[in-house]
Amino acid sequence: GDEDDDDEGFGGGPVGLEDLERPALYVVATPIGNANDISLRALDVLKNADVIFAEDTRKTLDLLTKLGIQLAGRQIYACHEWNEEKAASNMVNILRGMSAVALVSDAGTPLISDPGFAVLRKVRDELGENFPIRPVPGPCAAVAALSVAGAAAGRYLFAGFPSRNPTKKRREIVQLLRQARAGSPAATLVLYEAPHRLVSTVEAIVDAVEAEGTSRERRLYICRELTKQYETVLRGEARQVLERLGEDKNQRRGEFVLLIEGGAKLSAAAAAAVADAADGEADDSDGEVADFGDDSEAVGAFEEEDEEEDEDIFQRPPGTRRPPPAARPALRGPPGGAGQKRMSMLEVAKLLTKEMPQRKAMALAAQICGSPTAPAPGIRDLKAVKHALKLDSL
């Protein structure tokens, strides 16, 4: 029948009961740190869904165990950035079988700087615009930060993780700050950042707001480890916050949401000067700096070595994902005998970055070595890498 336009109360059945549609896809938000933040509806969906697709099946299984949810023979499939297209096809076939499917990320709301977009696009394309895709709302780090930091939250511009390349990141931050300031009122800029890139990102923010001359009005807020034991919020002028990061190494550990207030509109001359400064810095750059990000277990090995060279680079938090073993091709032994040098994964990846983007280099290095601590016997040069991967060209 027709919807009741006068019903402004709470819908659904009795609290704690969820009669799942079949077929349907449920996009389920999960806690960003404190397991008690799971919603009653999310509990019901995770208990009763026929199949679960998870960014990291190990993390999701740990969460289900904490919540007292048993799979009881149900399947849980991986759906992450390395296999999203394949996972999407698998999900469509399962949904065609009249199943209720739950999609979850490692933490927070799927698709918000997390995998899932390709999945939803595939479901819409294959099963039609009217196929039921149901949100199960809940935790989101960006919204949690806006709710407690003290920055203006009426308008905000969410940009997720900035570029991993330092030069591109500085230019990108200048552009985002300009976009956030363009509205009336101006918007608060919201960014996510990993621990080993936090300092360089804050330095880029400091340079941008000082070039604008708006450092006093565009206060910076760093929300760390929200909902966890060591939750903190640093706030102040960007340079002051940067100095506090330098004084306390613990403030550079964990997971971060950065908020930069919108500030007032710049004059045309001031805006042009800021843009020129960012472009000039890019022109002076010697090229991309290798930065392997936080999307692999192998990154821990990179960061441990980086810590010895630069105290501003810190290990990522535990639990971030690594390239799945299924993605590794069968390898044949590289040429050479037992007396050859045994290169580490870090050395192999650095060798590969001369020929390809850093993310691909990381994935191929993982395929050769298998783990951050396993050496690659006989790998001494790019030719040996190609041989190990059975590639004619990279």
Side-chain angles (χ1 to χ4, degrees), residues 279-362:
D279 290 340
E281 184 175 88
D283 292 339
D284 292 338
S285 171
D286 291 329
E288 294 193 2
V289 176
D291 181 353
F292 296 94
D294 61 326
D295 294 324
S296 164
E297 183 178 274
V299 176
F302 280 73
E303 291 163 6
E304 287 171 10
E305 181 163 310
D306 288 343
E307 275 189 329
E308 298 175 0
E309 302 172 357
D310 184 348
E311 63 182 5
D312 286 337
I313 305 300
F314 294 90
Q315 290 187 353
R316 60 177 172 80
T320 50
R321 57 197 183 281
R322 68 184 183 121
R328 300 174 189 154
L331 303 179
R332 61 185 179 184
Q340 288 184 310
K341 177 184 177 183
R342 297 164 64 85
M343 295 181 69
S344 68
M345 181 188 292
L346 174 62
E347 292 170 322
V348 173
K350 286 184 175 179
L351 183 66
L352 287 168
T353 54
K354 299 176 182 178
E355 303 289 329
M356 64 186 66
Q358 293 93 1
R359 181 179 292 276
K360 184 177 179 182
M362 171 73 88

Side-chain angles (χ1 to χ4, degrees), residues 16-138:
L17 299 175
E18 178 76 11
D19 186 13
L20 300 189
E21 297 178 68
R22 287 178 170 81
L25 170 60
Y26 290 85
V27 182
V28 183
T30 55
I32 60 175
N34 190 324
N36 291 326
D37 290 334
I38 193 76
S39 71
L40 292 173
R41 186 163 176 243
L43 280 172
D44 280 334
V45 172
L46 293 175
K47 286 177 181 177
N48 298 312
D50 303 305
V51 177
I52 298 173
F53 279 78
E55 183 180 1
D56 185 327
T57 56
R58 294 165 298 180
K59 288 197 71 172
T60 298
L61 286 170
D62 287 344
L63 176 63
L64 295 178
T65 299
K66 288 181 181 178
L67 299 174
I69 297 175
Q70 302 294 325
L71 283 179
R74 297 179 294 160
Q75 292 293 318
I76 180 168
Y77 296 102
C79 177
H80 46 68
E81 62 183 300
W82 292 286
N83 79 335
E84 197 169 352
E85 293 291 343
K86 180 178 179 181
S89 298
N90 186 23
M91 182 184 292
V92 167
N93 291 333
I94 291 172
L95 289 169
R96 283 191 171 124
M98 304 302 290
S99 294
V101 174
L103 172 66
V104 299
S105 63
D106 285 351
T109 303
L111 280 76
I112 310 301
S113 281
D114 275 326
F117 174 75
V119 169
L120 263 65
R121 176 63 62 86
K122 183 81 169 180
V123 170
R124 291 290 191 206
D125 290 347
E126 296 288 331
L127 302 181
E129 289 296 322
N130 294 323
F131 185 85
I133 299 178
R134 306 303 185 203
V136 183

Side-chain angles (χ1 to χ4, degrees), residues 64-340:
L64 295 178
T65 299
K66 288 181 181 178
L67 299 174
I69 297 175
Q70 302 294 325
L71 283 179
R74 297 179 294 160
Q75 292 293 318
I76 180 168
Y77 296 102
C79 177
H80 46 68
E81 62 183 300
W82 292 286
N83 79 335
E84 197 169 352
E85 293 291 343
K86 180 178 179 181
S89 298
N90 186 23
M91 182 184 292
V92 167
N93 291 333
I94 291 172
L95 289 169
R96 283 191 171 124
M98 304 302 290
S99 294
V101 174
L103 172 66
V104 299
S105 63
D106 285 351
T109 303
L111 280 76
I112 310 301
S113 281
D114 275 326
F117 174 75
V119 169
L120 263 65
R121 176 63 62 86
K122 183 81 169 180
V123 170
R124 291 290 191 206
D125 290 347
E126 296 288 331
L127 302 181
E129 289 296 322
N130 294 323
F131 185 85
I133 299 178
R134 306 303 185 203
V136 183
C140 173
V143 175
L146 285 165
S147 72
V148 300
R155 292 168 61 94
Y156 61 90
L157 172 62
F158 176 71
F161 288 91
S163 173
R164 301 177 182 207
N165 174 267
T167 300
K168 292 179 181 178
K169 172 164 45 182
R170 287 178 175 273
R171 181 180 292 173
E172 183 179 280
I173 286 174
V174 169
Q175 293 171 343
L176 289 170
L177 288 171
R178 184 187 305 144
Q179 290 177 351
R181 190 177 49 241
S184 182
T188 294
L189 175 61
V190 183
L191 302 172
Y192 288 163
E193 194 50 285
H196 56 287
R197 293 193 297 269
L198 176 67
V199 170
S200 65
T201 297
V202 175
E203 287 174 340
I205 294 169
V206 170
D207 291 344
V209 297
E210 289 186 349
E212 291 178 345
T214 59
S215 56
R216 286 193 175 184
E217 59 186 278
R218 303 197 82 162
R219 287 162 57 90
L220 171 64
Y221 304 76
I222 299 183
C223 303
R224 181 178 77 96
E225 295 288 86
L226 291 175
T227 79
K228 301 178 185 178
Q229 180 179 359
Y230 299 109
E231 171 183 299
T232 57
V233 178
L234 299 181
R235 54 177 67 83
E237 293 184 23
R239 184 166 293 280
Q240 294 172 345
V241 174
L242 178 61
E243 290 171 355
R244 293 175 69 181
L245 291 178
E247 294 166 357
D248 184 355
K249 66 180 182 180
N250 289 323
Q251 293 300 326
R252 305 186 299 255
R253 301 181 186 275
E255 298 176 333
F256 301 89
V257 183
L258 282 63
L259 311 178
I260 306 101
E261 290 185 327
K265 288 188 177 180
L266 293 182
S267 66
V274 173
D276 288 345
D279 290 340
E281 184 175 88
D283 292 339
D284 292 338
S285 171
D286 291 329
E288 294 193 2
V289 176
D291 181 353
F292 296 94
D294 61 326
D295 294 324
S296 164
E297 183 178 274
V299 176
F302 280 73
E303 291 163 6
E304 287 171 10
E305 181 163 310
D306 288 343
E307 275 189 329
E308 298 175 0
E309 302 172 357
D310 184 348
E311 63 182 5
D312 286 337
I313 305 300
F314 294 90
Q315 290 187 353
R316 60 177 172 80
T320 50
R321 57 197 183 281
R322 68 184 183 121
R328 300 174 189 154
L331 303 179
R332 61 185 179 184
Q340 288 184 310

